[in-house]
Amino acid sequence: MSFAEVVFPIPLKKVFSYQVPGALEGLLKPGMRCSVSFGRRHTVGMVSGLTAHSPAQFKDLKPIEELLDTEPSLTPDLLELGKWISDYYYCSLGEALFAMLPTGYRKNPKAFLGLTEAGESHPEKVEELLERIGALRGVNLKSLKAGKVPLTARTRELAEALKKESLGLLNLEGTPSGSKGKKPERERLYSRPPALHPQQAAALSAITEALALHAFQTFLLQGVTGSGKTEVYLRAIEKVIADGKQAIVLIPEIALTPQTVDRFTGRFGDKVAVLHSRLSIGERTYEWQRIAQGQAKVVVGARSALFAPTKDLGLIVVDEEHESSYKQEDAPRYHARDAAVKRAQLCKVPAILGSATPSLESVQNAKSGKYQLLSMRDRVNKKPLPLIKVVDLRDEWRVRGDDRPVLSIALTEAIRDTLEKKEQALLFLNRRGFNTVTLCMKCGEQVHCPSCSIPVTFHRGFKPTLLCHYCNWSGPIPEKCPVCKDGQIQQVGLGTERLEEEIKKQFPQAKVGRMDLDTTRRQGSHEDILDRFRRHEIDLLVGTQMIAKGHDFPGVTLVGIVGADTGLALPDFRASERVFQLLVQVSGRAGRAEKEGVIYLQTFNPDHVSILSAKHHDTKGFWEKELELRKDLDYPPFTKLGLLVYRDKAEHKAKEAADKAASILKKEAAKLNVEVVGPAPAGIFKLRGQYRFQIMLKCAKPQPIRQMLQILDSKFETPSGVMRVVDLDPQSML
Ligand code: ADP
Ligand code: ZN
């Protein structure tokens, strides 16, 4: 008799043992989902391992009730990766393993037999087939059509019998929740690859060598914007496919970069599986199976595409590796870039991390020799990088007195010039809404969200309203100040909505568009705006960081950075890095085709290192200065951080828990060489009605931080009701 180790998607760090009944003996493999009774419920578990001996302490183990997969949902390397994630990010194995499954596999308790397209269109043949096979009770055309026949050990016999006979009428692979495995629509344009320029060729040859060795190696491909990084990925993938293997390409936000996706489908057509959040469960299942069976050679997707169940992985690419959206902000709080490198290591394949502005973590890894740096310093079209002109808004405001303009004289002139030449401009401002500050003219207090310690933003939209950008609370503008109950409320500050209006006023002849969270809520609206801009149905596009992403707009010759300073003020040690990255990325949108580009960068901090380095395209200089600072302050990449947040609706409960935890941690700190900072109110002290206290753990290595957490867990149970969040390598310190 054998026994199965089963885990569940719960925070409890425990593996549960079950008996494997005779009928499932030999069928059950690690990585398969099963149905078991757990507590008082029947639920889905994941088999994480099998053992021959009964764990001694248990006499009467419950049996595995049903098997929900015919093949493991998670391949051996994914199981390994899940173990690494649970260990490194300090979450339960169940949380890690279930996070790897597509939602359909996670949420729906069972897989179901269903009809294929052929089965749909020939119901009479299905009925005939069922009759001939002698179907099990309850299985008929109607139940198959409704997708209500669970794929279990019981129906497996039927499935096996049907396999020989079904003639493509039935889907025997188990389609979750009754939805059909459905093929997503995709473009079928094949593009011919251009000849590589020398820097691309050099980068590719280093990668090709590693591919030939079938060994793990991480490359940091740092190429200026427009240097043709994507082409390097495409060529490397070509080699992987020629070798009969598969590649995974991670891109930060798939909806924002339809063009990038098109370049992969354009080159590799049907061999590409695109995994994005808008796929229906059926479509996702279809792609998942195509990947597992090795038909899909290239998997393109956001963060979770890292967990694609490839049969024979040959390469992992992480594009825009510096993007913070690679960090998952719910448990398991993994960083997809780092997990990608881990998976590459487990599979013994190369990984390419690409960016014009790599994270300092990756830069340091390249310096220390852990990653191999490949640089591409020039743009493909041989054009110089765009000229960046910094406009000091302090001077501008001084000269123009009370008339505090949104656009400086220089930027206004540049826009006029661009319009006259019938060219296009991007106007970047990283704040959405109309006014960003709502305050009392008498007491000076800002109006805050009722459930967050966040000032509200005024949106005009269809209906004027105040909005919290963190919890989405919305409410009317109060007539009197809610604090002093006396003063009048005034709105000031500049958001993209107001910027759009100002631009329309100043340039009534121009076609103006806006791209931010508010104009892109509808499905497909990102693509609409980007397409209209590319077709030149928009002259001036106003937008938030959404317009900074890897878009290739050949008609853009001017980028106006209307406001660059907001990010600098954030109480986060990565603030300078983020602003620098954003400035370089947004500047990189200009002058990508024949005509040269120019950037006007408006700022109150013209001497800030992020702004100066961006102005001089001095990426390496920025690394040096910023790394030195990080080293002095003991911040990543020179230390590892762990963030603990305690939160509760009652301030004192959150505080007490954090105090207690900190006092325990501090007792252990010296022994393990870990620094304990806090507890302190979190950067956003109140969020969605909960008060938050945080403790930061700092150490040269990650292991002692985990040891500290283990000690904490053995000595202190988080009081019921209080939420505790553990975040290793946190990306947001707020
Ligand atoms: P990056 O990702 O580094 O910003 P892209 O890969 O988007 O750069 O390349 C910029 C543009 O140059 C794209 O339109 C791409 O098709 C084109 N391109 C890339 N490599 C070449 C090449 N070797 N010859 C001609 N055009 C190229
Ligand atoms: Zn709020």
Side-chain angles (χ1 to χ4, degrees):
M1 185 180 285
S2 66
F3 300 88
E5 293 166 345
V6 177
V7 294
F8 302 95
I10 51 171
L12 200 59
K13 293 183 159 201
K14 196 171 171 238
V15 172
F16 298 83
S17 295
Y18 287 85
Q19 224 186 85
V20 181
L24 295 181
E25 199 78 60
L27 286 177
L28 197 70
K29 292 180 198 148
M32 285 184 172
R33 295 167 303 146
C34 58
S35 172
V36 294
S37 98
F38 182 61
R40 263 170 291 164
R41 306 178 291 139
H42 291 268
T43 188
V44 182
M46 169 64 72
V47 180
S48 62
L50 294 169
T51 52
H53 322 282
S54 162
Q57 65 270 41
F58 299 110
K59 284 261 151 54
D60 309 305
L61 288 178
K62 287 183 211 152
I64 302 262
E65 287 166 359
E66 306 269 26
L67 192 55
L68 302 177
D69 287 318
T70 36
E71 290 297 321
S73 286
L74 296 175
T75 53
D77 68 305
L78 286 174
L79 283 171
E80 272 301 300
L81 185 64
K83 283 176 185 152
W84 178 81
I85 287 178
S86 93
D87 183 39
Y88 188 93
Y89 294 103
Y90 203 74
C91 64
S92 76
L93 181 59
E95 285 176 305
L97 294 183
F98 275 86
M100 295 177 154
L101 296 172
T103 29
Y105 285 49
R106 259 181 266 169
K107 291 202 179 125
N108 294 287
K110 285 177 178 172
F112 296 83
L113 286 176
L115 295 179
T116 60
E117 263 170 52
E120 284 275 327
S121 41
H122 297 287
E124 72 293 342
K125 288 190 183 163
V126 176
E127 292 213 300
E128 188 205 64
L129 178 75
L130 288 175
E131 198 139 302
R132 191 143 39 83
I133 296 285
L136 291 169
R137 211 148 34 98
V139 180
N140 52 37
L141 182 65
K142 204 168 141 211
S143 61
L144 280 171
K145 248 190 177 155
K148 281 190 177 153
V149 182
L151 182 63
T152 62
R154 194 172 62 96
T155 51
R156 185 169 312 280
E157 293 164 35
L158 171 65
E160 288 302 321
L162 285 173
K163 207 166 230 167
K164 297 182 203 105
E165 289 255 12
S166 83
L167 312 163
L169 299 171
L170 301 186
N171 179 349
L172 304 174
E173 301 301 329
T175 309
S177 95
S179 56
K180 312 276 171 312
K182 189 162 163 274
K183 189 173 175 174
E185 299 287 326
R186 72 164 59 87
E187 289 199 32
R188 233 173 275 253
L189 280 169
Y190 290 84
S191 67
R192 206 159 339 120
L196 294 184
H197 71 73
Q199 292 175 2
Q200 285 175 312
L204 181 65
S205 96
I207 295 163
T208 311
E209 256 175 58
L211 285 173
L213 289 173
H214 300 286
F216 166 60
Q217 156 122 48
T218 308
F219 294 98
L220 178 60
L221 178 61
Q222 194 253 326
V224 298
T225 53
S227 59
K229 292 182 287 294
T230 311
E231 189 58 42
V232 175
Y233 309 149
L234 290 167
R235 292 303 182 89
I237 292 166
E238 227 165 66
K239 300 204 188 282
V240 171
I241 296 176
D243 214 15
K245 292 177 184 284
Q246 294 165 291
I248 295 176
V249 182
L250 301 187
I251 54 182
E253 281 148 291
I254 208 151
L256 291 181
T257 46
Q259 219 189 345
T260 308
V261 177
D262 289 348
R263 288 178 65 187
F264 287 90
T265 51
R267 188 65 58 85
F268 302 118
D270 260 358
K271 295 198 185 81
V272 181
V274 182
L275 300 179
H276 55 79
S277 55
R278 292 201 204 123
L279 292 181
S280 68
I281 288 173
E283 288 171 332
R284 192 163 267 267
T285 306
Y286 177 87
E287 294 292 37
W288 186 262
Q289 286 166 2
R290 255 174 20 104
I291 297 162
Q293 287 155 13
Q295 289 150 308
K297 298 294 179 193
V298 187
V299 183
V300 180
R303 204 166 53 213
S304 63
L306 169 63
F307 306 128
T310 47
K311 222 172 138 191
D312 193 2
L313 189 64
L315 174 72
I316 305 184
V317 174
V318 183
D319 191 26
E320 308 291 1
E321 69 89 33
H322 63 280
E323 282 275 347
S324 48
S325 63
Y326 281 126
K327 175 82 178 188
Q328 170 143 310
E329 296 294 352
D330 309 304
R333 294 179 163 74
Y334 66 94
H335 197 301
R337 173 198 59 219
D338 300 335
V341 171
K342 187 67 200 178
R343 188 167 184 198
Q345 187 189 25
L346 290 171
C347 296
K348 302 188 179 62
V349 301
I352 310 174
L353 313 181
S355 174
T357 51
S359 63
L360 289 174
E361 282 81 357
S362 294
V363 169
Q364 185 55 31
N365 278 330
K367 280 178 173 270
S368 72
K370 224 171 130 187
Y371 298 171
Q372 186 181 336
L373 182 66
L374 304 171
S375 292
M376 299 200 294
R377 282 179 205 87
D378 301 315
R379 284 187 152 185
V380 165
N381 57 9
K382 305 255 166 41
K383 283 272 146 23
L385 285 166
L387 181 65
I388 301 186
K389 298 187 179 177
V390 172
V391 181
D392 188 342
L393 283 178
R394 294 171 308 185
D395 292 345
E396 188 94 12
W397 283 25
R398 203 177 304 126
V399 173
R400 291 169 71 173
D402 273 349
D403 167 34
R404 294 182 168 180
V406 168
L407 300 178
S408 58
I409 293 169
L411 180 52
T412 311
E413 282 307 311
I415 295 174
R416 187 164 297 136
D417 194 43
T418 305
L419 290 172
E420 266 165 25
K421 286 197 279 194
K422 305 239 175 305
E423 291 168 3
Q424 291 173 292
L426 284 176
L427 297 163
F428 170 78
L429 176 68
N430 212 9
R431 303 200 119 186
R432 65 191 175 98
F434 194 85
N435 293 120
T436 52
V437 181
T438 300
L439 81 177
C440 169
M441 281 164 74
K442 193 164 177 198
C443 71
E445 283 292 327
Q446 278 199 47
V447 179
H448 281 69
C449 168
S451 38
C452 307
S453 50
I454 297 289
V456 290
T457 303
F458 174 59
H459 286 247
R460 214 175 245 183
F462 296 113
K463 184 172 143 229
T465 167
L466 295 177
L467 200 69
C468 171
H469 285 182
Y470 282 81
C471 75
N472 241 355
W473 170 87
S474 70
I477 301 141
E479 286 187 10
K480 286 272 156 72
C481 168
V483 180
C484 70
K485 317 272 183 229
D486 192 22
Q488 294 291 318
I489 293 296
Q490 196 191 11
Q491 317 266 12
V492 291
L494 179 67
T496 42
E497 218 181 322
R498 190 178 138 213
L499 178 60
E500 180 191 16
E501 193 177 285
E502 299 271 345
I503 302 264
K504 280 180 173 161
K505 245 189 261 166
Q506 283 197 41
F507 305 98
Q509 77 282 19
K511 289 164 286 179
V512 181
R514 171 160 62 94
M515 184 157 156
D516 57 25
L517 207 57
D518 301 305
T519 64
T520 54
R521 290 200 192 280
R522 192 175 44 80
Q523 266 201 18
S525 44
H526 293 104
E527 285 95 327
D528 281 357
I529 298 174
L530 294 171
D531 283 348
R532 275 167 49 218
F533 190 54
R534 211 166 284 119
R535 288 198 303 264
H536 206 151
E537 289 163 27
I538 295 171
D539 299 311
L540 307 175
L541 182 62
V542 172
T544 52
Q545 40 147 10
M546 277 186 187
I547 62 172
K549 311 282 161 173
H551 313 294
D552 202 18
F553 302 122
V556 172
T557 52
L558 171 69
V559 169
I561 298 172
V562 177
D565 297 339
T566 42
L568 292 175
L570 291 175
D572 188 323
F573 72 91
R574 286 195 185 87
S576 298
E577 181 183 352
R578 297 251 162 79
V579 171
F580 175 73
Q581 286 162 342
L582 202 50
L583 291 176
V584 172
Q585 295 291 344
V586 70
S587 307
R589 300 313 112 212
R592 290 173 70 92
E594 295 82 52
K595 298 184 196 105
E596 277 175 32
V598 59
I599 321 295
Y600 282 83
L601 195 170
Q602 305 192 144
T603 177
F604 290 97
N605 300 284
D607 301 321
H608 192 281
V609 59
S610 304
I611 292 182
L612 282 178
S613 307
K615 175 183 172 181
H616 295 115
H617 302 289
D618 186 13
T619 301
K620 298 235 157 96
F622 177 77
W623 294 349
E624 295 314 319
K625 290 194 194 80
E626 188 63 18
L627 283 176
E628 204 178 297
L629 200 69
R630 297 276 181 93
K631 192 159 201 173
D632 285 349
L633 297 175
D634 255 346
Y635 271 121
F638 300 101
T639 47
K640 286 278 172 184
L641 297 183
L643 194 65
L644 267 170
V645 178
Y646 286 89
R647 55 173 207 247
D648 196 274
K649 283 206 159 28
E651 186 180 332
H652 73 276
K653 281 180 74 183
K655 184 172 186 308
E656 278 159 24
D659 284 345
K660 182 87 205 303
S663 74
I664 293 169
L665 290 166
K666 279 178 180 166
K667 280 196 201 104
E668 311 292 330
K671 249 184 293 175
L672 289 165
N673 243 325
V674 177
E675 189 188 342
V676 180
V677 186
I684 300 172
F685 180 39
K686 191 180 166 199
L687 189 63
R688 294 184 181 90
Q690 296 199 309
Y691 293 88
R692 305 159 77 237
F693 287 85
Q694 68 182 33
I695 301 165
M696 192 165 69
L697 303 177
K698 261 187 183 184
C699 184
K701 293 201 170 65
Q703 187 54 30
I705 295 183
R706 293 199 286 273
Q707 269 171 276
M708 293 274 280
L709 293 169
Q710 275 155 5
I711 294 170
L712 176 64
D713 275 345
S714 69
K715 295 197 170 170
F716 176 52
E717 194 180 336
T718 309
S720 77
V722 178
M723 248 312 266
R724 186 193 75 174
V725 168
V726 176
D727 192 354
L728 274 299
D729 297 343
Q731 284 295 303
S732 168
M733 308 301 292
L734 300 176

